[in-house]
Amino acid sequence: MSAAAPDVDFIDVEDLIRRFDAQDYLLDEGTATALFLALRLGRPLLLEGEPGVGKTTAVKALAAALGAPLERLQCYEGLAADEALYDWNYQRQLLAVRLSEARGERLEEADLFTERFLLERPILRCVRHKGGLSPVLLIDEIDRADDEFEALLLEFLGEASVTVPELGTFHAERAPIVVLTSNRSRDLHDALRRRCLYHWIDYPTPERAAAILRRTVPGATAALIASVTEFVASARALDLDKPPGVAESIDWLAALAALGAADLVPADALASLGALAKTPDDRTVLAEAVGNYPASGATG
């Protein structure tokens, strides 16, 4: 039994880009095409890219653009079915046992594993969603989870269904909109990849990066935006533990603007470097780069 495709109303890729723009997310054409095809085909989408390029924010903007409910499952080492798929209400089961004993009745094991005691977690909640728009399910940073958790996802990703051994298999009437993100901290298994469409989100071009910064930090001067965009792009070529992404660029620009900087001068840049550098070694490297940066507004 296969679920129907999600009920979405994007006309084409350009419409999707316009609707994201209304949510203050400047979507590139490649990512827009990947999202559009995943929606139209009813397939999960795996988004990979360096940390801070906007993968998670893109999924949030998708839900907002559709006006659809968003379920977010943050992955981590040790994540298991009882937190992602379903669990049983053990306290309620114990209470039912005690009440039956008090009445002199006997509960069979099967009586304790019914829908009455079932707790829906994000994935099962999306599968059993009734009415309204298809929910958007964000499975965030899947590369942080264990191999075993990937295996738990295969039925859901391939068939939009979840099997609860005591109750049977639940099938989605309409496939939820599923997007997985990964920072590539480890390789994902082929079985998971085969069940998803795929797209790599790269760092934005300088022009798009400047447009994003203008949108998110409207109080910053044009000169400061241009300098920050240029410096961050060059910083990614340095030997850094954590190269700065779009999120760090936004934070740094906002910090500089808060200090009243009109352009990238060493004193303000060094004072606000904590928004860009995330390790002591990176701070040292970036501080040296700041000192060598030929800011147009530098006074010496």
Side-chain angles (χ1 to χ4, degrees):
M1 177 180 178
S2 58
D7 47 345
V8 295
D9 59 351
F10 292 123
I11 300 170
D12 51 27
V13 174
E14 288 71 26
D15 180 44
L16 192 149
I17 291 174
R18 285 193 297 272
R19 300 268 288 276
F20 267 64
D21 185 69
Q23 301 300 323
D24 275 339
Y25 190 100
L26 298 178
L27 192 63
D28 65 277
E29 187 171 356
T31 305
T33 302
L35 286 167
F36 180 78
L37 290 175
L39 294 169
R40 188 56 60 90
L41 299 176
R43 295 282 302 280
L45 175 63
L46 172 60
L47 291 179
E48 284 194 324
E50 297 294 338
V53 295
K55 302 183 293 297
T56 299
T57 309
V59 184
K60 292 179 179 179
L62 173 64
L66 289 169
L70 173 66
E71 290 276 359
R72 179 176 180 177
L73 179 61
Q74 179 63 53
C75 296
Y76 57 88
E77 186 177 351
L79 180 64
D82 60 350
E83 296 163 290
L85 280 74
Y86 67 90
D87 198 6
W88 296 102
N89 191 330
Y90 297 111
Q91 290 182 331
R92 193 171 181 183
Q93 286 173 324
L94 181 59
L95 179 61
V97 170
R98 289 176 175 172
L99 286 174
S100 67
E101 290 174 346
R103 295 168 183 158
E105 301 171 352
R106 176 183 174 83
L107 277 182
E108 300 295 333
E109 183 177 351
D111 297 326
L112 294 173
F113 292 93
T114 64
E115 288 209 34
R116 174 187 172 193
F117 301 106
L118 183 65
L119 295 175
E120 296 179 348
R121 299 309 190 201
I123 293 177
L124 183 59
R125 198 153 49 234
C126 287
V127 167
R128 302 187 71 189
H129 179 80
K130 303 291 184 183
L133 295 172
S134 298
V136 175
L137 174 61
L138 166 60
I139 303 178
D140 210 11
E141 298 184 310
I142 180 62
D143 52 319
R144 290 183 178 272
D146 305 316
D147 294 352
E148 292 79 6
F149 181 71
E150 283 190 52
L152 289 174
L153 291 178
L154 298 183
E155 177 190 12
F156 169 67
L157 294 176
E159 304 168 26
S161 63
V162 171
T163 295
V164 180
E166 297 85 355
L167 299 176
T169 300
F170 295 96
H171 299 274
E173 293 178 359
R174 284 191 174 276
I177 300 163
V178 183
V179 184
L180 303 88
T181 71
S182 169
N183 296 327
R184 295 214 67 175
S185 62
R186 69 171 178 86
D187 289 333
L188 302 177
H189 286 275
D190 291 343
L192 184 142
R193 290 183 177 276
R194 281 197 304 269
R195 286 163 171 78
C196 304
L197 301 184
Y198 176 81
H199 181 66
W200 173 267
I201 298 184
D202 208 346
Y203 291 120
T205 62
E207 295 76 18
R208 183 166 164 265
I212 293 171
L213 294 178
R214 278 195 297 273
R215 178 75 65 91
T216 52
V217 191
T221 66
L224 183 61
I225 290 171
S227 297
V228 166
T229 301
E230 180 183 22
F231 180 86
V232 170
S234 65
R236 292 181 186 132
L238 301 174
D239 184 19
L240 297 174
D241 296 326
K242 297 182 181 298
V246 177
E248 287 76 23
S249 300
I250 293 171
D251 287 345
W252 196 36
L253 178 63
L256 287 163
L259 292 174
D263 205 340
L264 193 60
V265 296
D268 292 332
L270 290 172
S272 58
L273 208 52
L276 195 65
K278 301 303 179 181
T279 70
D281 289 343
D282 283 0
R283 181 178 178 84
T284 299
V285 173
L286 289 171
E288 182 178 353
V290 163
N292 296 326
Y293 183 74
S296 60
T299 58

